[in-house]
Amino acid sequence: MNSAIKQHRRHIHYVDHTLQKWLLLALVVMEAILVSLAIWALYKALGTIIDEEMYRIHYSANTRLLPLLIKEGSVVLGWMLLVNLLALFIADRIWAIFVHGILKKLARLMLASQNLDFTNHDSIRSNHTVLEQALMWRSTEAMRLKKRRGIILSLPRALPASAEARAELAAELEQLQPSRQ
């Protein structure tokens, strides 16, 4: 494949380091706090169960300790699962809002480009590589259109009489043709 074509091929990036770094950090901190709280809750609950069994005056053979331990463990694990699912939902909403914001700005740029409005859009900050590439493409297109406008404005109003002048005019008109790649 031609290296010029390879250079301009689109690449799909599923990683956005700016946002994902903070989301990952928040999830790790939340998970550390959650595990600490779960260990503390299990320590308290299981300590109470074991103390009740150890200091019982009358021993009962039908008291089953394992179901009590499993019940307390299941409650703590259920709460951990619920908090993790809630955190994943919140992270997903933050990610969706971030992506929607980028796509909204990109759509505004593309609509302006479709309407051949290549004026500067200072309100759109390029906080993402997609927006940076779109703004670079727009500036390139604006320069190209400005060059073509200059060529068009320099064209004579009527067809020249001499063959030599027509050849020069044909060369100028050739510059207006889109470049073939």
Side-chain angles (χ1 to χ4, degrees):
M1 193 177 257
N2 189 350
S3 64
I5 294 173
K6 279 184 183 178
Q7 182 182 9
H8 296 292
R9 289 196 79 177
R10 293 183 185 183
H11 299 283
I12 298 175
H13 297 283
Y14 294 107
V15 178
D16 190 313
H17 297 288
T18 55
L19 179 65
Q20 286 179 335
K21 172 180 62 174
W22 294 111
L23 285 176
L24 182 62
L25 182 65
L27 288 175
V28 167
V29 167
M30 183 219 55
E31 198 65 37
I33 291 170
L34 185 63
V35 167
S36 299
L37 289 173
I39 290 172
W40 178 77
L42 279 175
Y43 173 76
K44 287 299 221 180
L46 298 180
T48 303
I49 290 172
I50 290 173
D51 284 347
E52 286 176 2
E53 290 299 316
M54 282 180 82
Y55 300 114
R56 184 175 289 215
I57 295 174
H58 300 289
Y59 177 72
S60 173
N62 60 357
T63 302
R64 300 185 50 151
L65 192 58
L66 186 60
L68 291 173
L69 296 175
I70 290 174
K71 179 185 171 212
E72 289 300 324
S74 299
V75 168
V76 170
L77 286 175
W79 278 107
M80 285 182 68
L81 179 65
L82 181 68
V83 169
N84 275 305
L85 288 174
L86 181 65
L88 285 175
F89 176 76
I90 291 169
D92 178 63
R93 291 293 87 214
I94 291 171
W95 181 255
I97 290 168
F98 180 72
V99 169
H100 179 71
I102 292 169
L103 291 177
K104 186 176 176 182
K105 292 175 185 176
L106 182 64
R108 203 169 5 158
L109 283 174
M110 292 300 107
L111 181 64
S113 300
Q114 182 181 4
N115 294 330
L116 296 178
D117 174 17
F118 287 96
T119 57
N120 225 355
H121 287 277
D122 293 330
S123 63
I124 296 180
R125 293 180 303 148
S126 61
N127 59 348
H128 196 270
T129 55
V130 169
L131 294 175
E132 288 172 9
Q133 290 174 352
L135 288 170
M136 284 178 17
W137 174 80
R138 284 177 50 81
S139 70
T140 304
E141 286 299 303
M143 299 276 270
R144 188 177 65 81
L145 289 174
K146 186 176 180 181
K147 181 182 172 188
R148 286 186 176 190
R149 187 176 300 121
I151 293 171
I152 290 171
L153 289 175
S154 70
L155 292 175
R157 296 208 180 265
L159 193 61
S162 71
E164 183 178 306
R166 277 191 230 154
E168 288 177 16
L169 182 60
E172 285 183 42
L173 289 174
E174 189 66 34
Q175 291 179 6
L176 290 177
Q177 290 294 323
S179 59
R180 309 244 194 275
Q181 293 178 351

